[in-house]
Amino acid sequence: MEALHEVIEIILLLISIIGAVAAYFRFRGRSFGVSDMLIFVPLAVAADVVCYQLFQAMAGPHGESTAYGALGAMLGLFGLAPVAAGLNMVAAAATLLCMLRHAAVRYGVLALMLVAWAAHLFLGHRDEMLAPGGALNGDRVAGENWALESGAASRAECDRQSAAQAFREGCYAKLGR
């Protein structure tokens, strides 16, 4: 019986979100413009970011001292999630209609997609760059840190770790310490 009650509550929540968006459509007469997109897209992004931060604060195990903070984050998330869903619906509708009507918006969206893709590629390979021998192991400090952490005993170990001369010099400086 409780499961049925929860399902009904979720359905009512979704109906209220869809009803709010439909009321906005009726109010605007379905004539979305660039101003709607410029207002609702940043609001939707901000709401999504805040929801994500609240979820991160709520997720995971908590000690007794942080349990109330997690509870507050959960309550905030429950209040903000429907608002974020409504903002995302309106922002998506406004963006789609503006993309169909205006070439500048199409090019702007394409540019944002390319920037997001490049950021994804960069952040996806960040661990590889920080790994031993990766792209960020090219300076003296990285060589010193690696030699101290790994306990390198010979120059050959430093040479195998990175081809960068600055890295090797830093590694050689910390050998035997």
Side-chain angles (χ1 to χ4, degrees):
M1 190 64 177
E2 283 185 42
L4 179 65
H5 187 271
E6 290 177 9
V7 169
I8 291 172
E9 286 180 358
I10 291 171
I11 290 171
L12 287 175
L13 177 66
L14 291 174
I15 289 172
S16 66
I17 292 170
I18 293 170
V21 172
Y24 181 77
F25 286 158
R26 273 183 275 133
F27 175 70
R28 290 289 295 167
R30 289 190 175 91
S31 61
F32 286 105
V34 177
S35 61
D36 289 315
M37 186 187 73
L38 292 176
I39 292 170
F40 282 102
V41 168
L43 286 174
V45 169
D48 290 342
V49 168
V50 172
C51 282
Y52 179 74
Q53 293 298 325
L54 288 173
F55 179 77
Q56 290 297 324
M58 180 188 74
H62 297 285
E64 291 180 14
S65 62
T66 59
Y68 286 111
L71 178 64
M74 182 179 67
L75 293 174
L77 182 64
F78 285 161
L80 185 60
V83 174
L87 287 173
N88 281 315
M89 284 186 202
V90 173
T95 303
L96 183 63
L97 289 175
C98 286
M99 283 176 52
L100 293 173
R101 292 180 189 159
H102 306 287
V105 174
R106 282 186 289 252
Y107 294 129
V109 169
L110 179 64
L112 285 175
M113 289 173 55
L114 290 175
V115 168
W117 179 69
H120 170 71
L121 287 179
F122 175 74
L123 294 175
H125 297 293
R126 195 173 86 197
D127 293 336
E128 294 172 11
M129 293 179 2
L130 295 172
L136 296 181
N137 283 341
D139 62 349
R140 183 176 175 90
V141 175
E144 292 174 359
N145 289 336
W146 182 82
L148 291 173
E149 290 173 4
S150 68
S154 68
R155 288 180 170 241
E157 291 180 31
C158 296
D159 295 340
R160 280 192 303 266
Q161 189 62 26
S162 178
Q165 184 64 32
F167 182 91
R168 290 180 179 181
E169 290 173 3
C171 186
Y172 297 157
K174 296 297 179 181
L175 286 177
R177 290 188 183 174

